[in-house]
């Protein structure tokens, strides 16, 4: 007998997809459908249910981009269907290949309560579990006409510029005709009988088809399955599938009963729906996506008690509580039953490269606190599958927040080096280790298909000593999460020969088992988890990044001065306002907002939000400082407030002193293009380039022979894909040095340079303040370039083997060479306020107020010397997903610090971002609430405890990478001091804070809670 397995596979695929799956819903009758289009933004359900509807039928076109159409469906269950399960099947115009990225619907009852969502692969609605016949019913569907931004080009080509990312701007620009064009067509609206036997047969065939395609061609098991499947196909009467399904299933039953055995790879399947808090849709649409997804999750839990589903962003559940309290209550009930699992420990799934250290602390604080208060759940995992790299301070932050486990997925997107582990210990810069997992399935939107599970097993790098991995399954981004078909697969794959064994479990169950199995032997990865992709997110959408940076520093100031005013003057502390403002800033640190990879709508709203945050925080700072400064005198006395963690200009860290007399600007004795303050002499030539930076103290030139600093360079920037996300290495192949100046003139205390850059204008002012070893460069750009990258280069005459760049609560050391592919892949990297390079005895730092993308290259000159070049990425001009990203006027500042030690770099980074504030007042001074006496110890936050007790909370860390012993002194009577976790709870077994004496290991973060005395 000659057998052709390919013939059987093709037959199975066609019969399954074209005959069996359609037969799941039988005896269809048309529904009565009416529609109402919302005139503007979405409205509450009560308003929609009371609206006037017009009859429509399949074929009806609806949905201009971003609009909402409500459909009312009604009908009567035929009497002949008594005792049967009756379902409505609806197709709003879905594209089944793109769940989550286009049209979605949410079904409501007459009282406005939610039933479930309708999605491209989940278009059914149960009308009656067991019909009586003759029942009348009506439902309302809120249908969202979200445009398919990613594939919006002709023919569905991705990454082409589209104006659909900002409806308001599109209309203002005269695009009303195109904006009003309906995107979708109602394709199906029928009442059907659900055939459970046919559905079960479809799942049987589906799972066995997955086995056939993944088992080795010559394996006995594959041939057994082929034979059984062929026999079952023969048993199916294509004209009576429901009547023959049981016979076919009986033939398949032995194949599905053969067990995998104890040695099979174990899959912990975790129901999940990754929902971007904003991306190719605005924040308001995320609120609706969350509602739809949670509605599906709890609906599915009613029929499947084994189903477990995780939600990983507290902000999204907070929105659900605010906008859909009845659905939130259902989720809370399922959480109490152990099915709905708040997880992740974070407020949102943030970017962890750009987000500041104290902000990451608050991501944990607000995330964990929400879960504790609303669900009584102490989360123990950091669930962050999708962000663009992971800084090396995170392990310590996780531990201090009570987190034991870490999960990510995005590192599978590396384009150069394959990450060598899937289960491992991740070690941070301070030595803290967190047990971590990187699912080998390589997706966080799995379907539990045979191909995915086989890939997970083949790909798993720890086979042998370890035998289990985790698979997050469910359609994300509004795709509706897991489906009943996925649960059907999981049930059949629980113990099936030829497949990994699948258990639906909680994340904690997986981590406990994996740790017990492999924790003692797991390898260690030390340092950052650098994503070898999406490097452009360090630079895209500058105004969004500036809004975040400035909000972070204003929050520091507001907490510091408000706490000081409360302790010193009894002023009320703005607990609720600060809580709200923190949550607003944290939400906008989501990993597609802060990195600049969202549509224009998102970034326009973010800029408006940051402006409101800035105004509120500035008002809080002003009010607190006025209370501390006292009434103004007629003689114009004023105090200078210093929020930086280092003293400067005679003003102590975190305190205020009387304002000194104004200091004259630095002189320029060598002519109009020479700046000299007795410490540095800087020469600027007729091109506006810095040609000499001479350290007068060390008698050393900072620039290499013939080198020019503050050299602006323009690159072509057209990555292969993912425009706003990526900077591909070939951008370096083309560069234009901007050496022509429109104007180079001496101004008071500095030099002004104006350049034309394509269609853009760059105006820079270079200043050298008295007593400073820092050349400040204030840059204003009217940016009109598209698909170009603007960098600022500083070639330095020093041989640095490595750089040190600020990250959260410390710094990361990186080699300046590219010996290996791992080093070469880090051609663009993140640093926060400063970057430092040095050779023994002398160094240089570059500090900034809003730049994150950095680059270092090293070259040996003909004279034998080495030029180490530091470059900052200032602006980009990506055209997708926002075709007008970064257009407009920007102001950004950076500076070159000469002869800088590592400590100097840290100090200047804070000073550059926390300017002194001059406030009229008659107070003699404002003593700091707290102080430390070791230069390496940085006070990062001073605030009042969140519980309203009046305790003062201080967070500090060791910044140089060494050990430090310091005394934390309180500037107020003290009743007690304890070390706490990030949630301000006393640490168990923590050493006593004896006399304020603290011993810190390298990069250690310490939170101290101080109770004021009488």
């Amino acid at each position: 007998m000659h057998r052709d397995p390919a013939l059987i596979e093709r037959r199975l695929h066609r019969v399954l997809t074209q005959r069996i799956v359609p037969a799941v819903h039988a005896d269809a009758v048309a529904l009565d459908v009416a529609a109402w289009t919302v005139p503007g933004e979405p409205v509450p359900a009560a308003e929609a249910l009371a609206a006037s509807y017009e009859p429509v039928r399949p074929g009806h076109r609806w949905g201009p981009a971003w609009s909402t159409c409500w459909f009312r469906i009604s009908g009567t269950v035929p009497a002949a269907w008594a005792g049967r399960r009756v379902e409505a099947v609806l197709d709003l115009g879905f594209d089944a290949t793109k769940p989550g990225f286009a049209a979605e619907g949410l079904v409501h009852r007459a009282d406005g309560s939610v039933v479930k969502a309708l999605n491209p692969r989940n278009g059914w609605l149960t009308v009656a579990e067991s019909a009586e016949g003759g029942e009348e019913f009506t439902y309302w569907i809120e249908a969202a006409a979200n445009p398919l931004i990613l594939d919006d080009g002709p023919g569905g080509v991705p990454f082409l510029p589209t104006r659909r990312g900002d409806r308001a701007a599109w209309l203002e620009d005269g695009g009303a005709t195109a904006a009003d064009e309906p995107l979708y067509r109602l394709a199906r609206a029928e009442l059907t009988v659900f055939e459970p036997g046919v559905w079960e047969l479809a799942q049987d065939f589906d799972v066995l088809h997955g086995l056939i395609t993944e088992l080795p061609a010559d394996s006995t098991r594959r041939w057994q399955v082929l034979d059984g499947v062929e026999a079952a196909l023969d048993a199916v009467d294509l004209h009576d599938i429901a009547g023959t399904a049981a016979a076919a299933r009986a033939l398949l039953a032995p194949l599905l009963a053969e067990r995998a055995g104890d040695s099979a790879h174990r899959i912990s399947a975790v129901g999940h729906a990754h929902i971007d808090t904003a991306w190719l849709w605005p924040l308001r649409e995320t609120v609706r996506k969350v509602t739809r997804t949670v509605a599906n999750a709890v609906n599915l839990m009613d029929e499947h008690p084994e189903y477990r589903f995780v939600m990983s962003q507290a902000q999204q559940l907070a929105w659900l509580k605010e906008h859909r309290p009845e659905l939130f209550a259902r989720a809370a009930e399922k959480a109490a039953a152990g099915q709905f699992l708040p997880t992740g420990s974070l407020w949102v799934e943030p970017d962890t490269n750009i987000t500041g250290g104290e902000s990451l602390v608050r991501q944990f604080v607000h995330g964990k606190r929400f879960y504790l208060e609303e669900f009584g759940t102490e989360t123990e995992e950091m669930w962050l599958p999708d962000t663009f790299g992971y800084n090396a301070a995170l392990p310590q932050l996780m531990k201090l927040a009570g987190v034991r486990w870490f999960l990510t997925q995005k590192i599978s997107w590396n384009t150069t080096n394959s990450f060598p582990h899937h289960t491992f210990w991740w070690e941070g810069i301070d030595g803290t280790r967190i047990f971590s997992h990187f699912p080998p399935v390589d997706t966080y939107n799995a379907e539990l298909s045979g191909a995915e599970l086989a890939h997970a097993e083949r790909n798993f790098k720890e086979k042998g000593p370890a035998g289990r991995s985790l698979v997050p399954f469910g359609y994300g981004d509004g795709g509706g999460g897991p489906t009943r078909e996925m649960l059907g697969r999981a049930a059949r794959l629980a113990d099936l020969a030829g497949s990994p064994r699948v258990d639906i479990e909680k994340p904690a169950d997986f981590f406990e088992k994996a740790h017990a199995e492999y924790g003692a032997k797991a390898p260690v990865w030390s340092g950052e988890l650098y994503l070898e992709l999406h490097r452009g997110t360090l630079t895209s959408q500058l105004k969004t990044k500036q809004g975040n940076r400035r909000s972070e520093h204003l929050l520091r100031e507001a907490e510091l001065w408000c706490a000081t005013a409360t302790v010193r003057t009894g002023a009320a502390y703005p607990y609720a306002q600060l809580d709200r403002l923190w949550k607003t800033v944290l939400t906008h640190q989501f990993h597609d907002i802060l990195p600049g990879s969202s549509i224009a709508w998102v970034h326009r709203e973010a800029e408006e939000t940051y402006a409101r945050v800035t105004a509120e925080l500035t008002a809080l700072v002003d009010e607190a400082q006025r209370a501390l400064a006292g009434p103004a005198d007629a003689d114009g006395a004023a105090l200078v407030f210093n929020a930086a963690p280092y003293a400067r200009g005679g003003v102590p860290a975190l305190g205020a002193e009387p304002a000194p007399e104004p200091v004259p600007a630095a002189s320029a004795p060598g002519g109009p293009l020479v700046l000299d303050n007795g410490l540095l002499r800087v020469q600027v030539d007729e091109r506006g380039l810095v040609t000499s930076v001479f350290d007068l103290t060390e008698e050393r030139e900072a620039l290499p022979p013939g080198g020019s600093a503050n050299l602006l360079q323009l690159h072509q920037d057209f990555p292969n894909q993912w425009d706003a996300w990526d900077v591909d290495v070939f951008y370096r192949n083309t560069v234009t040095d901007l050496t022509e100046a429109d104007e180079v003139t001496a101004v008071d205390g500095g030099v002004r340079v104006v350049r034309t850059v394509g269609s853009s204008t760059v105006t820079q002012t270079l200043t050298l303040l008295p007593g400073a070893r820092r050349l400040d460069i204030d840059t204003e750009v009217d940016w009109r370039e598209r698909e170009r990258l603007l960098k600022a280069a500083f070639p330095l005459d020093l041989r640095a083997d490595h750089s040190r760049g600020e990250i959260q609560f410390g710094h990361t050391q990186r080699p300046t060479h590219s010996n290996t592919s791992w080093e070469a892949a880090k051609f663009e990297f993140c640093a926060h306020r400063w970057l430092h390079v040095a050779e023994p005895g002398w160094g240089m730092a570059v500090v900034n107020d809003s730049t994150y993308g950095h680059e270092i290259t090293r070259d040996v000159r003909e004279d034998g010397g080495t030029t180490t070049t530091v470059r900052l990425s200032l602006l980009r001009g990506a055209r997708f997903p926002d075709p007008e990203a970064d257009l407009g006027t920007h102001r950004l500042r950076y500076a070159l610090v000469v002869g800088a030690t590592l400590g100097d770099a840290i100090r200047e980074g804070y000073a550059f971002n926390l300017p002194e504030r001059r406030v009229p007042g008659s107070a003699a001074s404002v003593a700091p609430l707290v102080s430390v006496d070791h230069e390496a110890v940085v006070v990062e936050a001073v605030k009042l405890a969140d519980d309203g007790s009046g305790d003062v909370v201080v967070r500090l860390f060791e910044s140089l990478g060494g050990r430090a012993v310091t005394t934390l002194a309180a500037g107020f009577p003290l009743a007690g001091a304890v070390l706490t976790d990030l949630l301000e709870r006393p640490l168990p077994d923590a050493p006593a804070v004896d006399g304020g004496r603290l011993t810190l290991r390298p990069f250690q973060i310490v939170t101290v809670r101080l109770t004021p005395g009488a």
Side-chain angles (χ1 to χ4, degrees):
M1 177 179 178
H2 299 283
R3 294 179 296 176
D4 183 353
L7 187 66
I8 300 171
E9 288 183 46
R10 291 197 298 271
R11 178 188 178 193
L12 172 58
H13 176 73
R14 187 177 187 195
V15 170
L16 177 60
T17 57
Q18 296 184 21
R19 291 293 183 269
I20 297 176
V21 170
V24 169
H25 291 100
D27 301 327
V29 297
L31 291 166
D32 293 325
V33 186
W36 172 65
T37 298
V38 178
E41 283 293 280
V43 299
E47 182 178 338
L49 267 59
S52 250
Y53 286 73
E54 296 292 332
V56 299
R57 59 182 57 189
H60 172 69
R61 298 186 69 200
W62 67 278
W66 303 116
S67 70
T68 301
C69 180
W70 282 75
F71 292 99
R72 185 182 66 211
I73 62 169
S74 56
T76 303
V77 177
W81 292 1
R84 312 287 293 279
R85 176 170 177 143
V86 178
E87 294 185 347
V89 179
L90 299 119
D91 184 343
L92 304 178
F94 297 136
D95 181 342
T97 66
K98 295 179 176 64
F101 290 93
E104 305 167 43
L106 182 65
V107 182
H108 297 73
R109 301 180 184 90
D111 62 1
S113 62
V114 170
V115 184
K116 72 179 290 286
L118 300 173
N119 310 95
R121 299 183 190 177
N122 193 345
W124 57 271
L125 168 67
T126 300
V127 172
E129 295 281 356
S130 179
E132 296 178 1
E135 301 101 313
E136 295 182 351
F137 61 89
T138 302
Y139 293 98
W140 286 259
I141 302 167
E142 180 189 29
N146 299 333
L148 188 62
I149 299 290
L150 188 60
D151 296 346
D152 197 40
V157 177
F159 310 116
L160 293 181
T162 173
R163 297 298 305 279
R164 280 184 171 158
D166 196 338
R167 179 174 171 80
W170 194 6
L171 291 173
E172 290 171 6
D173 200 32
T177 303
D180 289 337
E181 179 183 349
L183 296 180
Y184 299 107
R185 188 185 303 273
L186 180 66
R188 185 180 183 185
E190 295 177 331
L191 190 66
T192 72
V193 171
F194 176 79
E195 295 285 0
V198 178
W199 185 87
E200 298 287 358
L201 177 62
Q203 310 321 305
D204 292 347
F205 272 135
D206 174 76
V207 166
L208 292 172
H209 183 262
L211 275 188
I212 291 169
T213 56
E214 295 300 325
L215 286 168
D218 57 355
S219 73
T220 300
R221 174 65 170 158
R222 180 170 183 265
W223 283 101
Q224 289 173 341
V225 174
L226 282 166
D227 281 353
V229 163
E230 186 169 38
L233 287 170
D234 290 341
V236 175
D237 183 345
L238 298 183
H239 299 285
D240 185 16
I241 293 175
T244 56
R249 293 200 70 211
L251 293 171
L252 297 177
L255 300 175
L256 293 165
E258 189 167 339
R259 299 183 60 185
D262 293 338
S263 64
H265 185 72
R266 301 298 294 260
I267 296 285
S268 293
V270 177
H272 172 56
H274 175 76
I275 303 177
D276 286 305
T277 294
W279 180 27
L280 305 179
W281 48 85
L283 287 168
R284 67 90 156 148
E285 192 57 31
T286 307
V287 176
R288 301 203 295 177
K289 286 178 181 284
V290 169
T291 301
R292 298 178 199 118
T293 300
V294 173
N296 273 3
V298 297
N299 183 279
L300 205 54
M301 287 171 188
D302 290 339
E303 294 188 35
H304 296 271
E306 80 284 2
Y307 175 37
R308 303 287 183 271
F309 177 79
V310 303
M311 282 286 284
S312 58
Q313 301 186 66
Q315 168 66 93
Q316 296 184 357
L317 288 169
W319 279 331
L320 188 69
K321 182 182 180 183
E322 177 186 356
H323 296 280
R324 296 283 184 167
E326 78 290 349
L327 184 57
F328 182 83
R330 285 192 69 198
E333 290 174 6
K334 297 298 185 183
Q339 288 185 278
F340 190 93
L341 306 172
T343 192
S345 304
L346 299 164
W347 185 247
V348 296
E349 292 183 7
D351 168 90
T352 76
N353 283 322
I354 303 168
T355 300
E358 190 61 25
S359 291
L360 287 176
V361 167
R362 307 307 173 92
Q363 289 283 350
F364 284 107
V365 168
H366 288 289
K368 286 183 69 81
R369 189 170 287 152
F370 182 88
Y371 294 142
L372 280 165
E373 292 175 352
E374 299 295 339
F375 300 98
T377 298
E378 176 83 43
T379 52
E380 292 189 309
E381 61 284 309
M382 181 172 172
W383 181 281
L384 190 54
D386 178 24
T387 196
F388 311 142
Y390 308 82
N391 74 76
L394 280 171
Q396 185 179 189
L397 292 176
M398 283 188 259
K399 185 174 182 179
L400 290 172
V403 170
R404 300 171 63 197
W405 325 115
F406 172 61
L407 178 136
T408 184
Q409 180 67 69
K410 199 68 172 187
I411 300 299
S412 66
W413 288 42
N414 274 5
T415 55
T416 304
N417 301 283
S418 176
F419 193 73
H421 313 301
H422 285 109
T423 301
F424 60 100
W425 289 97
W426 182 19
E427 182 179 287
I429 52 173
D430 72 309
T432 299
R433 292 180 178 179
I434 293 289
F435 193 66
S436 304
H437 185 64
F438 160 29
V441 71
D442 286 349
T443 179
Y444 42 81
N445 297 301
E447 303 174 354
L448 298 182
S449 69
E452 289 169 342
L453 300 186
H455 174 76
E457 181 174 8
R458 283 194 303 266
N459 191 39
F460 187 52
K461 291 184 169 66
E462 277 71 47
K463 340 177 169 48
R468 65 180 65 244
S469 64
L470 186 148
V471 172
F473 72 96
Y475 299 125
D477 283 331
T483 65
R484 61 185 176 187
E485 287 74 22
M486 294 178 195
L487 297 181
R489 290 182 193 131
R492 288 160 176 78
L493 294 166
D495 192 0
L496 181 62
S499 169
R501 297 175 65 177
V502 175
D503 295 302
I504 294 180
E505 293 187 309
K506 305 175 184 177
D509 293 337
F510 162 77
F511 277 109
E512 291 283 6
K513 294 173 184 177
H515 183 266
E517 174 188 65
Y518 191 51
K521 299 175 286 186
V524 175
W525 180 270
S526 181
E528 67 182 327
L529 295 172
Y530 178 94
L531 178 64
E532 295 173 356
L533 193 72
H534 293 356
R535 304 167 183 89
T537 58
L538 300 175
T539 305
S540 295
Q541 297 284 7
L542 175 61
K543 286 184 178 178
T544 298
K545 290 174 172 58
Q546 288 182 326
N548 178 74
R549 173 83 73 91
R550 290 164 188 173
S551 295
E552 289 179 330
H553 287 88
L554 280 169
L555 281 162
R556 172 196 172 92
E557 289 194 77
E559 288 185 335
L560 167 66
W561 300 126
C562 288
T564 305
T566 298
V567 173
R568 296 275 183 255
T569 73
Y573 190 77
Y575 290 102
Q577 188 177 6
L578 286 170
D579 180 84
R580 173 176 53 80
L581 290 168
W582 262 116
K583 287 174 179 174
T584 299
V585 173
L586 297 179
T587 298
H588 287 79
Q589 289 166 349
F590 179 74
H591 65 252
D592 275 308
I593 303 178
L594 183 51
S597 47
S598 288
I599 56 173
W601 189 338
V602 173
H603 291 289
R604 172 174 48 80
E605 287 189 338
E607 290 168 24
E608 294 167 357
T609 298
Y610 284 130
R612 292 193 297 272
V613 168
T614 296
E616 280 197 64
L617 288 172
T618 300
L620 285 177
V621 171
D622 289 348
E623 182 180 359
Q625 289 181 337
R626 285 198 303 270
L628 291 164
D633 280 346
D635 61 4
L639 272 72
V640 171
F641 284 79
N642 175 21
Y646 297 95
R648 53 179 166 173
V651 182
L654 318 178
E657 289 288 336
E661 292 296 321
V663 178
S667 61
L673 299 181
V674 176
L675 300 174
D676 190 327
N677 66 356
L679 297 174
L680 300 178
R681 184 171 61 244
V682 177
Q683 296 183 15
V684 182
D685 70 5
E686 69 281 359
R687 302 169 299 169
L689 300 179
V690 176
T691 55
S692 175
V693 178
F694 194 77
D695 185 337
L696 294 169
T697 304
E698 296 294 326
E699 297 186 349
R700 174 168 178 167
E701 173 61 51
L703 306 187
S708 299
N710 191 37
L711 172 65
L712 297 179
Q713 297 179 303
L714 200 62
H715 295 269
Q716 183 171 284
D717 182 19
F718 188 63
N720 289 340
Q721 57 182 352
W722 300 109
D723 297 43
W725 293 258
D726 283 355
V727 171
D728 286 337
V729 69
F730 53 72
Y731 86 88
R732 290 174 166 176
N733 297 349
T734 55
V735 59
T736 300
D737 291 343
L738 304 181
T739 58
E740 299 294 326
D742 303 334
E743 175 187 337
V744 181
T745 55
V747 295
D748 186 22
V751 176
R752 182 172 184 266
V753 180
V754 181
R755 303 183 190 281
T756 299
V757 181
S759 301
S760 306
T761 303
V762 181
T763 303
Q764 294 187 306
T765 303
L766 286 68
T767 56
L768 186 60
L769 297 178
R773 302 182 62 82
R774 193 181 79 195
L775 173 64
D776 290 2
I777 301 165
D778 192 324
T779 302
E780 185 172 296
V781 186
D782 181 12
W783 185 245
R784 302 294 164 188
E785 306 310 299
R786 302 288 77 202
E787 296 170 351
R788 291 180 182 252
L789 172 61
L790 181 66
K791 287 194 170 238
F794 290 88
L796 305 173
D797 187 14
L798 56 80
R799 182 173 179 82
D801 292 328
H802 57 265
S803 68
R804 287 186 171 92
E806 185 189 30
I807 66 167
Q808 300 83 349
F809 296 104
H811 59 264
T812 293
Q813 182 171 297
R814 296 181 176 89
T816 56
H817 57 73
S818 53
N819 284 354
T820 71
S821 59
W822 291 90
E823 292 152 355
K826 298 179 182 180
F827 58 84
E828 186 88 356
F829 58 84
C830 183
H832 282 222
R833 289 168 290 207
W834 56 267
L835 184 70
H836 182 257
V837 289
E839 57 188 28
W842 196 80
M844 301 281 285
V846 176
V847 298
N848 72 84
D849 75 345
S850 53
T851 297
Y852 294 92
H854 292 76
E855 170 195 6
I856 290 185
T857 55
R858 198 176 71 182
D859 297 290
V860 176
R861 307 186 299 268
E862 290 186 4
D863 66 3
T866 298
T867 299
T868 300
T869 301
V870 177
R871 296 209 300 163
L872 290 74
S873 296
L874 305 182
L875 279 163
R876 300 186 66 209
R879 300 180 66 209
F880 181 87
D882 176 6
E884 297 183 351
D886 283 316
L887 287 178
T889 301
H890 306 273
R891 183 187 177 194
L892 61 157
R893 299 166 56 243
Y894 48 91
L896 183 67
V897 186
V898 182
T901 64
L902 183 58
D904 292 334
I906 298 169
R907 183 180 297 104
E908 293 290 356
Y910 276 102
F912 209 64
N913 285 270
L914 289 164
E916 296 172 322
R917 294 179 182 269
R918 186 185 179 100
V919 180
S922 56
S925 64
V926 177
L929 276 188
V930 296
S931 62
V932 292
D933 57 2
H934 195 294
E935 67 167 355
V937 178
V938 173
V939 176
E940 186 64 15
V942 178
K943 60 189 287 292
L944 293 194
D946 292 340
D947 62 7
S949 64
D951 288 356
V952 175
V953 173
V954 182
R955 193 156 12 258
L956 46 84
F957 70 100
E958 196 288 321
S959 65
L960 296 180
R963 293 188 177 272
V965 179
T966 190
T967 298
L968 174 65
F972 53 90
L974 195 61
V978 295
L979 299 181
T980 74
D981 66 6
L982 298 186
L983 276 73
E984 301 170 6
R985 303 173 296 194
L987 286 172
D989 303 322
V993 184
D994 186 10
R997 185 178 175 85
L998 299 170
T999 300
L1000 281 69
R1001 66 178 181 270
F1003 298 122
Q1004 184 177 2
I1005 304 166
V1006 172
T1007 304
V1008 187
R1009 183 169 180 145
L1010 306 173
T1011 301

